[in-house]
Amino acid sequence: QKEVEQDPGPLSVPEGAIVSLNCTYSNSAFQYFMWYRQYSRKGPELLMYTYSSGNKEDGRFTAQVDKSSKYISLFIRDSQPSDSATYLCAMRELIQGAQKLVFGQGTRLTINP
Amino acid sequence: ETGVTQTPRHLVMGMTNKKSLKCEQHLGHNAMYWYKQSAKKPLELMFVYNFKEQTENNSVPSRFSPECPNSSHLFLHLHTLQPEDSALYLCASSQDWDTDTQYFGPGTRLTVL
């Protein structure tokens, strides 16, 4: 079983729709949860970062973490064509002076005008 | 130049060639990373350098050899690669090795013939 599972998509939605992207994980020791956005021919950029269970909002983006279910989500409200990209979830565990960072496969998202 | 830059952006090499990838960060960070991104696979962390010292080597084959002469520069020396090594190689940096925010370069698209 992979440590982090993410549906690769592709996911295609109309402009203005609410988008829900999800990842599940098996390692209960993950402490930090991140979402990265990667445009074509670019490197990933950090979009959201959360530490604890609950919601974190930043503009049109909301990150949600449910540690009991080992499930994280990214919601995009009022989606725009410029949101079309691949979204990667990532999780981090700090172990005695070292870190373990694991990424999901990425979900390719297209917002249609 | 700002952020994280990588050269070359594209590289085609034969299995017997020796080449090097270069990464430079202009952010004053102390930690630098090499990642491999293959199609339909999660991003894989290859090497971590913190204050020029290698802190992680995630079971990467010896045909990949990193070098970090200072905190701003990171190289990945390649020799006798295999076709399955074809991928996007991403460099990233962060303030320190355990910092949540990593800034990625645009990557080098490597094709091994």
Side-chain angles (χ1 to χ4, degrees):
Chain A
Q1 183 188 8
K2 292 180 185 175
E3 279 193 289
V4 178
E5 297 271 6
Q6 183 177 11
D7 186 341
L11 180 62
S12 182
V13 302
E15 183 176 355
I18 295 175
V19 177
S20 172
L21 304 168
N22 312 295
C23 287
T24 59
Y25 62 96
S26 58
N27 183 356
S28 58
F30 284 134
Q31 301 158 311
Y32 303 87
F33 305 89
M34 290 146 279
W35 285 96
Y36 284 82
R37 177 175 62 196
Q38 185 174 18
Y39 290 115
S40 181
R41 296 185 175 81
K42 295 280 183 73
E45 58 177 325
L46 183 66
L47 203 56
M48 299 286 283
Y49 162 82
T50 53
Y51 172 69
S52 58
S53 283
N55 293 352
K56 182 176 181 179
E57 195 172 312
D58 184 1
R60 296 183 295 109
F61 298 89
T62 299
Q64 191 174 79
V65 175
D66 182 346
K67 286 188 176 180
S68 61
S69 301
K70 298 191 183 70
Y71 188 88
I72 70 170
S73 299
L74 178 70
F75 298 97
I76 307 174
R77 291 184 301 279
D78 188 25
S79 55
Q80 306 293 311
S82 58
D83 295 326
S84 298
T86 296
Y87 289 80
L88 307 163
C89 64
M91 308 183 187
R92 192 158 65 104
E93 175 187 0
L94 294 179
I95 318 166
Q96 294 180 333
Q99 69 165 326
K100 181 179 178 181
L101 183 63
V102 182
F103 283 81
Q105 186 175 337
T107 300
R108 181 189 273 185
L109 172 67
T110 301
I111 309 296
N112 301 303
Chain B
E1 290 270 22
T2 58
V4 180
T5 58
Q6 289 185 243
T7 54
R9 293 294 307 277
H10 300 274
L11 178 62
V12 179
M13 58 187 288
M15 289 191 283
T16 58
N17 291 158
K18 289 185 181 181
K19 297 285 184 183
S20 295
L21 310 185
K22 179 183 176 183
C23 175
E24 184 173 0
Q25 59 97 358
H26 310 267
L27 301 167
H29 289 165
N30 299 313
M32 296 187 77
Y33 311 79
W34 278 118
Y35 287 89
K36 177 182 179 182
Q37 189 173 36
S38 305
K40 300 181 181 176
K41 280 187 162 183
L43 207 58
E44 299 171 59
L45 180 64
M46 300 174 72
F47 301 105
V48 180
Y49 278 83
N50 189 43
F51 288 98
K52 302 187 300 176
E53 298 297 321
Q54 184 175 317
T55 59
E56 284 186 51
N57 173 346
N58 287 343
S59 304
V60 180
S62 59
R63 57 186 184 269
F64 295 92
S65 174
E67 179 190 359
C68 189
N70 55 61
S71 293
S72 299
H73 294 85
L74 186 64
F75 295 89
L76 187 63
H77 303 299
L78 316 170
H79 64 97
T80 58
L81 295 192
Q82 305 298 310
E84 59 264 29
D85 296 322
S86 298
L88 181 68
Y89 288 84
L90 290 159
C91 173
S93 72
S94 63
Q95 186 59 53
D96 294 294
W97 71 270
D98 60 350
T99 303
D100 52 291
T101 306
Q102 293 186 16
Y103 294 83
F104 285 83
T108 295
R109 174 68 62 184
L110 173 68
T111 302
V112 181
L113 301 176

